[in-house]
Amino acid sequence: MAYIDNKETKKLYWTINEVAKMVGVNATTLRYWEDKFPRLRPKVKGPSLVRQYTEADIEYIKKIYSLVKVRGFRADAARKVLEATPKEVETSSVVLEKLISVREQLVALKKQIAGME
């Protein structure tokens, strides 16, 4: 999973494809999660029903990803965990993001060292 941080851009809304790319899942998975997680309700705009995700939606999706894809929970179990202990899930998703960042840095360092030899 490769989280893409959009702090340099001050967007208010992201499309389903942008969010899917950020989180590392496909758009179909996000639509499925919308059905399974009542709190995940992006704004829908226009006659073509374009989904618009906010920063809060993206943070919630990261929590879902952490539970479902990383820890192996089924969607129903993940929903119950998010409803019961949202703070613990938030902490674990922050730790996961940091670990992914460290891993990416280590991979880059390994490539750099391999190039010196």
Side-chain angles (χ1 to χ4, degrees):
M1 168 179 68
Y3 289 125
I4 298 171
D5 197 5
N6 285 315
K7 290 189 175 153
E8 56 276 345
T9 59
K10 300 294 180 190
K11 289 179 71 168
L12 296 177
Y13 299 103
W14 288 266
T15 66
I16 192 168
N17 290 324
E18 290 172 327
V19 174
K21 186 175 179 182
M22 271 187 235
V23 180
V25 297
N26 57 40
T28 305
T29 301
L30 290 177
R31 286 187 206 97
Y32 173 75
W33 286 350
E34 288 174 19
D35 288 339
K36 292 295 182 179
F37 297 89
R39 186 172 157 217
L40 182 58
R41 292 288 175 248
K43 183 178 175 181
V44 179
K45 185 177 179 182
S48 60
L49 303 177
V50 175
R51 289 170 170 81
Q52 295 181 326
Y53 293 88
T54 64
E55 189 72 35
D57 293 330
I58 295 168
E59 290 304 315
Y60 191 66
I61 290 168
K62 289 178 182 180
K63 293 175 190 178
I64 294 169
Y65 183 97
S66 176
L67 289 170
V68 174
K69 298 291 186 180
V70 177
R71 295 177 63 187
F73 284 73
R74 293 186 184 266
D76 293 334
R79 185 183 65 247
K80 289 177 184 175
V81 168
L82 283 169
E83 291 169 356
T85 57
K87 188 64 177 172
E88 290 176 23
V89 174
E90 181 178 328
T91 303
S92 67
S93 68
V94 169
V95 170
L96 176 64
E97 286 183 46
K98 288 181 182 178
L99 287 172
I100 289 169
S101 173
V102 168
R103 181 180 184 273
E104 290 171 353
Q105 291 172 8
L106 289 172
V107 168
L109 185 60
K110 182 180 176 183
K111 287 179 182 177
Q112 186 179 16
I113 290 171
M116 297 174 121
E117 296 175 1

